[in-house]
């Protein structure tokens, strides 16, 4: 059997098409959504992601404002940039690209954001709303990667309710909020959240109807670990630089041979990454629509 590809590029394009209409409607009301990005340092992965976010904005008609600080920036410099984004009227939503350089307190920086401008859903108020909202309508921004994963599963009609989802990785941007989201009323998955200290990881992975791998260990998930027919979503990204050409290749957490066993496979690249970016745009549009409605 060969898995059906969960095509993140095509699905993100469909999401963006829907957003274009909503953006036009906002502009007709005199509201101009604008995304800010704050990038500190010169990590090549982060540079590439931020560049992608600005391209996406241009594609759908969202203004974007880029703030880049050098790796030598102090915590005070970062705080000043956050305060400026909070007060900049052209910025209706923004993100702090993570990880921040060592020595800068990430949680403190996230907490300094205006929660109404938090396009990533990572401000403690918005994470708190995700914890508090067991069911009902979601009115706070959701972390982009978990939202993108759910959106992709739904658009491919992969059943979630009552299914056993095994998440590998407990990080702030993916694993932890994904467990909270999938166990809400209306989605109703049963979630096992595993991590680097999980004993006998393989035994959990084998029981997954839906497997999400988000640890950043290249090729960790082996085909023998995967239940035949399971939906497998690869979120890990490891950049492997070719010594001769200097070019970077992206390698996921899932061994490509898993495609022979899985029912659905979201690959790296071309899977969850583009969906993450599409959900960022959606958060910006949602927030702009909330402003005076
Ligand atoms: N505050 C914050 N919010 C984030 O959402 C956030 C972050 N920090 N820090 C880093 C991670 C990582 N992340 C990705 C987004 C898109 C792709 C993406 O588009 N990937 C393409 C390939 C891109 C390339 O070629 O480099 C793909 O998988 O097809 C990847 C990774 C968002 N993150």
């Amino acid at each position: 059997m060969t898995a059906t590809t969960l095509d993140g590029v095509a699905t993100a394009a469909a999401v963006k098409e829907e957003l274009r209409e909503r953006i036009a409607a906002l502009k007709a009301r005199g509201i101009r959504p604008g995304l800010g990005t704050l990038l500190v340092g010169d990590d090549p992965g982060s540079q590439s992601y931020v560049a992608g976010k600005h391209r996406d904005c241009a594609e759908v008609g969202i203004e974007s404002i880029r703030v880049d600080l050098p790796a030598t920036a102090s915590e005070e410099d970062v705080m000043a940039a956050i305060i400026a984004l909070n007060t900049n009227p052209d910025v209706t939503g923004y993100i702090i690209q993570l990880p921040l350089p060592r020595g800068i307190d990430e949680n403190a920086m996230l907490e300094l954001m205006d929660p109404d401008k938090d396009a990533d859903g990572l401000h403690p108020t918005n994470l708190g709303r995700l914890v508090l909202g067991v069911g009902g309508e979601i009115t706070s921004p959701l972390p982009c990667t978990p939202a993108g994963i759910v959106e992709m599963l739904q658009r491919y009609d992969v059943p979630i309710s009552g299914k056993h989802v095994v998440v590998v990785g407990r990080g702030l941007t993916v694993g932890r909020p994904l467990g909270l989201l999938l166990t809400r009323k209306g989605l109703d998955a049963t979630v096992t959240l595993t991590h680097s200290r999980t004993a006998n990881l393989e035994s959990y992975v084998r029981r997954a109807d839906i497997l999400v791998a988000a640890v950043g260990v290249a090729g960790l998930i082996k085909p023998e670990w995967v239940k035949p027919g399971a939906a497998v979503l690869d979120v890990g990204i490891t950049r492997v630089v070719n010594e001769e050409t200097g070019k970077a290749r992206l390698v996921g957490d899932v061994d490509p041979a898993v495609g022979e066993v899985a029912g659905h496979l979201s690959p790296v690249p071309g899977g969850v990454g583009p969906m993450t970016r599409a959900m960022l745009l959606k958060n910006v549009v949602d927030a702009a629509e909330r402003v005076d409605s």
Side-chain angles (χ1 to χ4, degrees), residues 256-281:
V258 167
E260 310 291 312
V261 184
H264 291 85
L265 179 62
S266 171
V268 167
V272 172
M275 287 303 293
T276 298
R277 283 159 45 186
M279 292 299 110
L280 174 64
L281 301 175

Side-chain angles (χ1 to χ4, degrees), residues 30-36 63 65 81-94 114 116-117 284 288 291:
I31 301 169
R32 308 183 65 77
L35 173 72
E63 308 285 331
I65 297 97
I82 292 169
I83 290 162
L85 285 161
N86 284 346
T87 50
N88 184 340
D90 295 336
V91 175
T92 60
Y94 72 93
D114 175 349
D116 292 331
K117 285 194 176 187
V284 174
V291 165

Side-chain angles (χ1 to χ4, degrees), residues 38 78-87 94 96 109 112-113:
L38 175 56
V78 178
M79 289 169 74
I82 292 169
I83 290 162
L85 285 161
N86 284 346
T87 50
Y94 72 93
I96 302 172
M109 297 306 107
L112 201 58
M113 297 178 86

Side-chain angles (χ1 to χ4, degrees), residues 76-258:
E76 286 70 31
D77 297 333
V78 178
M79 289 169 74
I82 292 169
I83 290 162
L85 285 161
N86 284 346
T87 50
N88 184 340
D90 295 336
V91 175
T92 60
Y94 72 93
I95 65 149
I96 302 172
Q97 184 70 27
L98 303 178
L100 288 169
R102 267 191 301 161
I104 297 175
D105 183 341
E106 246 170 35
N107 289 358
M109 297 306 107
L110 289 170
E111 194 150 353
L112 201 58
M113 297 178 86
D114 175 349
D116 292 331
K117 285 194 176 187
D118 170 22
D120 253 341
L122 298 180
H123 185 280
T125 295
N126 292 320
L127 286 172
R129 287 178 178 143
L130 176 58
V131 178
L132 290 169
V134 171
E137 207 191 329
I138 298 174
T139 51
S140 52
L142 291 173
C144 302
T145 304
I149 287 169
V150 170
E151 189 75 30
M152 186 132 85
L153 290 169
Q154 290 177 330
R155 287 186 189 237
Y156 276 89
D157 292 322
V158 176
I160 298 173
S161 176
K163 298 299 177 188
H164 183 197
V165 183
V166 175
V167 180
V168 187
R170 59 181 153 186
L172 169 69
T173 55
V174 189
R176 195 160 292 226
L178 180 60
L180 294 167
L181 182 59
L182 285 170
T183 50
R184 288 175 60 100
K185 285 188 176 147
L187 290 176
D188 302 305
T190 302
V191 175
T192 301
L193 191 52
T194 68
H195 48 77
S196 54
R197 298 291 171 92
T198 296
N200 203 357
L201 175 65
E202 185 187 331
S203 69
Y204 296 95
V205 171
R206 276 184 203 284
R207 298 183 48 204
D209 302 309
I210 299 172
L211 175 68
V212 179
V215 277
V217 178
L220 173 72
I221 306 295
K222 301 294 174 204
E224 313 82 70
W225 296 14
V226 173
K227 187 200 281 191
V232 178
L233 294 97
D234 195 353
V235 185
I237 297 187
T238 305
R239 300 178 85 81
V240 179
V241 180
N242 182 309
E243 295 290 339
E244 279 161 32
T245 65
K247 278 201 152 190
R249 191 169 60 92
L250 304 184
V251 181
D253 288 351
V254 176
D255 185 325
V258 167

